[in-house]
Amino acid sequence: MWTSPGKLRDKGIIGMNRRNIRYIGRYNNRRLYPLVDDKLKTKLLAQEYGITTPALIGTVTTQFGVKQLDAMLHGHRGFVIKPAKGSGGKGILVIEHVEDGAYVKPSGARLGLGDLERHVSNILSGLYSLGGSPDVAVIEALINFDERLSEYTYEGVPDIRVIVFKGYPVMAMMRLSTAASDGKANLHQGAVGVGLDIATGTAIRGVQFDRTRHDHPDTGHELASLHIPDWRTLLLLAAGCYEMTGLGYLGTDMVLDRDLGPMLLELNARPGLAIQMANGEGLRNRLDLIERQPEGVAPEARVAFAQQHFARRSELETSAEVATVTEPG
Amino acid sequence: MSRLPFYLLVGLLLVAGIGLSVHRHVALEVPWTPGEQRQVWEVEALVNFNAQGGPVLVDMALPSNQQGFRLLTEHTASPGFGLSFLEEGGARRAQWSIREATGSQQLYYTTQLLVAPDSRPPEVTPPPLRRDIVWERPHDTAAAQVIERAWSRSADSFTFARELIRDFGDERQGENSRLLLTQFERGPLLVRLLNQAGVPAREVSGLLLEDGRRRQTLANWVQVFDGERWALFDPATGEQGRPDNLLLWESSGQAVLEVQGGTNSRVTFSMLTHNQPAAAAVRNQLAEDTLLNFSIHSLPLEEQALFQTILLIPIGALVVVILRVLVGIKTSGTFMPVLIALAFIQTTLITGLVGFLLIVAVGLVIRNYLSYLNLLLVARVTAVIITVIAIISLFSVLSYRFGLNAGLTITFFPMIILSWTIERMSILWEEEGPKQVLIQGGGSLLTAVIAYLAMNNPWVRHITFNFLGVQMILMALILLLGNYTGYRLLELRRFKPVTED
Ligand SMILES: Nc1ncnc2c1ncn2[C@@H]1O[C@H](COP(=O)(O)OP(=O)(O)O)[C@@H](O)[C@H]1O
Ligand SMILES: [Mg+2]
């Protein structure tokens, strides 16, 4: 049931208090938070810094502007409407394609223009933002996620969380939505977290509800073969977010598009600690190592440094081998 | 960035806090524990009235030594007024006078009373039996019948008084008693009837002493004599006996307060108990207020009572900080549990818990309906506030009807805070499901209970009230906790799987 502080320290696990005081408090200037708490600001900033994000189709800022929605969406096949200040997947409407004037959701449900207008109007009035403050609706192009990854997820686009510390990617995990998590990629709701090797982008270990897992609970696909294509590009994008925001301790959420490759989906100035569980290793040693590195290193060099120092062997393969050895009995 | 200034500050606070406390202990003999001590009550009477521009004479009854209490000191504050103390036949009174006064006036009278359970009560002379009682028709027959009825069911003066009062009680009220009550007030009426039946009796006024109460008024009791002995009866219930915390303020059957030349006069009482070392309680000289003796005790009593609660809040806050930083309990609303704990102090724990759960549960159901109406946030929370007030009123009335007086204390809950709690829980329910509501609601409640136990502990109350230096020590502790980067207790469980292989 319980472990000892000594064991956690040996594993290099950092707790909430340490994260808040030593990393967020020290490296994240509160003044910069709005850059990441507002998805529109993040997106515009990312475009300025050449960091790929899903293309911005348009924004709606006033109830009056809702009438222009039809014209704005014209000619776009798939798109996503989201509140700029939403969180936890609230108020996100994904339209996969348009068919004879009807907007079709991934589930197959069909919506009319009126439904979309009502949704946008709700976003503007603050229905999905924190504390009910008025908000802005952001409309962006749909991510067509890489089919190579489709066996690893159940509904919903899987995203990859990379913790970037002082511009160095220090730890990564992929979040696979499950039936239990209701298609959302939140670990505490039952999504599977898969720790990724920083050097290669392959799976190290999987956890669901804090317990080790070797396969996806819904698709049954084993996790050991999970490999993220374009891994170095993804790390470079993530690392670039340091220059872009100035935040020293940053959670970057990346997605893979079939055609456009890795993209930045959103940023988080207070990333959670579950990533340590998915990797079976604490952040402490890696953060300590990065703290000793000098400032002003270029992103390419930082990624190379991280790939060299944070390479890990998969625990899944070894345990899979053990399984095949013991099975033919 | 150097942490030196921080640790210097913490060290300074600790040294100053401990130094001040030790000084109070050594120089003023304030003990560390509330035990082995004499309990002293400080009671402050505040007379309020509107002077009408002419001469004013205020005449107020004062308490005397009596069973259970011994008078230690008395002070008055009444700028511009002349003052004299009168004593006749064992009854003490204070008279304030002034030639000319206009507008709202306040007169203070403060007394310190030593709790002395085994002090010998002074002789009380029974009032002369009044023979001059006349009733008008048809009250005369009603009175005769009521007396007759109670007389036949009693054996002596005390049982007679009890039966008589019960006949005026709600459940046994007969036609005769109802008729009499239309004409007379209950207290004077009972005294009249007792006298008529040949039992000496009078109405006295007493103050129920409860720590930290403010703006209290006197309650009336009926004192009944049976030869040598006397007994007090509650005129509402007929219950016999003197509660230990009853201080008789006026016991000669006279008016408590008479004001000539003023209107709207009333007297209210604040009270406070604290413990003093037996010696100091008897000596009881006021130490001069130097900076080092800086103490809450130099404030007026009403403010002292307020401060007694205020000084406990840091204790509750410390509990919250410990539970969040060291244990990792999630609460809904950071300091909401402290406010709930403060309410628990007024309501007592079980009543408080039941009340809290009832309000929040009913509130959640109604808030659930409100969410269908799609209201703006401010309007929705306001609607919840009104709902909470309605729930509280309803529960108060219901519990009173069912004779559960404890239910009335439900009004001590901070309504606006409760409404926000309900709002937050409801959103949590929608977004994260009932499990999170249970976790955070349970966490808040657990925190509130622990904060209550800490704040209600007699020793903690004694220390915080008597040693202001403790506040500095608390401050230092909280600064240190704010700097703690170690694991939380619950993280030892959360991260356990990582350490397993
Ligand atoms: N452009 C997009 N195309 C497809 N799916 C998207 C897109 N944007 C968001 N999503 C889906 O919505 C989820 C939440 O989006 P995100 O931008 O991370 O908002 P939040 O802050 O609410 O988590 C993503 O994990 C993804 O599944
Ligand atoms: Mg997200």
Side-chain angles (χ1 to χ4, degrees), chain A residues 143-201:
Chain A
I143 297 162
N144 301 302
F145 83 90
D146 209 312
E147 260 118 41
R148 281 172 284 179
L149 298 176
S150 63
E151 290 131 327
Y152 298 104
T153 185
Y154 172 88
E155 292 179 352
V157 182
D159 64 0
I160 297 156
R161 158 68 56 92
V162 183
I163 301 281
V164 178
F165 182 54
K166 290 175 75 185
Y168 291 81
V170 285
M171 205 174 260
M173 120 177 118
M174 182 156 211
R175 290 183 297 199
L176 310 172
S177 44
T178 63
S181 73
D182 194 22
K184 288 183 190 162
N186 273 334
L187 289 193
H188 73 266
Q189 287 171 333
V192 175
V194 182
L196 298 174
D197 173 26
I198 288 287
T200 58

Side-chain angles (χ1 to χ4, degrees), chain B residues 208-227:
Chain B
L208 279 169
L209 298 176
E210 274 179 83
D211 193 15
R213 288 303 163 104
R214 302 155 62 202
R215 307 214 181 94
Q216 301 295 299
T217 51
L218 295 179
N220 287 332
W221 297 74
V222 177
Q223 191 178 30
V224 178
F225 293 82
D226 180 18

Side-chain angles (χ1 to χ4, degrees), chain A residues 40-245:
Chain A
L40 183 59
K41 279 193 186 145
T42 312
K43 189 183 271 299
L44 296 177
L45 201 64
Q47 286 177 355
E48 204 177 300
Y49 280 79
I51 289 171
T52 337
T53 61
L56 181 64
I57 294 177
T59 59
V60 184
T61 52
T62 58
Q63 294 286 356
F64 176 74
V66 175
K67 288 278 159 265
Q68 264 89 52
L69 196 61
D70 192 20
M72 195 185 291
L73 296 177
H74 189 77
H76 290 280
R77 253 188 67 76
F79 54 86
V80 174
I81 304 182
K82 54 168 91 168
K85 289 179 195 147
S87 64
K90 268 173 289 165
I92 296 195
L93 179 64
V94 180
I95 298 298
E96 217 168 43
H97 59 276
V98 190
E99 201 175 82
D100 339 312
Y103 300 92
V104 187
K105 296 210 284 185
S107 62
R110 301 162 79 89
L111 301 178
L113 183 63
D115 295 320
L116 296 198
E117 287 180 349
R118 184 145 15 84
H119 186 75
V120 170
S121 159
N122 278 342
I123 290 178
L124 295 184
S125 65
L127 191 61
Y128 305 109
S129 64
L130 209 70
S133 59
D135 205 349
V136 171
V138 178
I139 301 155
E140 65 182 23
L142 180 75
I143 297 162
N144 301 302
F145 83 90
D146 209 312
E147 260 118 41
R148 281 172 284 179
L149 298 176
S150 63
E151 290 131 327
Y152 298 104
T153 185
Y154 172 88
E155 292 179 352
V157 182
D159 64 0
I160 297 156
R161 158 68 56 92
V162 183
I163 301 281
V164 178
F165 182 54
K166 290 175 75 185
Y168 291 81
V170 285
M171 205 174 260
M173 120 177 118
M174 182 156 211
R175 290 183 297 199
L176 310 172
S177 44
T178 63
S181 73
D182 194 22
K184 288 183 190 162
N186 273 334
L187 289 193
H188 73 266
Q189 287 171 333
V192 175
V194 182
L196 298 174
D197 173 26
I198 288 287
T200 58
T202 51
I204 299 177
R205 176 187 153 110
V207 289
Q208 185 190 27
F209 290 124
D210 295 347
R211 300 283 160 232
T212 320
R213 266 214 96 96
H214 293 276
D215 56 0
H216 191 281
D218 304 309
T219 65
H221 200 281
E222 45 76 43
L223 301 173
S225 58
L226 179 67
H227 173 82
I228 309 297
D230 266 345
W231 181 241
R232 210 182 87 87
T233 322
L234 189 149
L235 288 186
L236 274 174
L237 283 185
C241 294
Y242 176 50
E243 274 83 11
M244 167 181 144
T245 59

Side-chain angles (χ1 to χ4, degrees), chain B residues 55-87:
Chain B
V56 176
L57 183 69
V58 178
D59 186 33
M60 186 177 74
L62 300 181
S64 337
N65 284 338
Q66 54 186 276
Q67 191 185 342
F69 299 99
R70 201 159 68 229
L71 236 62
L72 286 180
T73 57
E74 295 180 297
H75 297 279
T76 55
S78 44
F81 281 80
L83 170 70
S84 59
F85 292 101
L86 314 173
E87 183 155 1

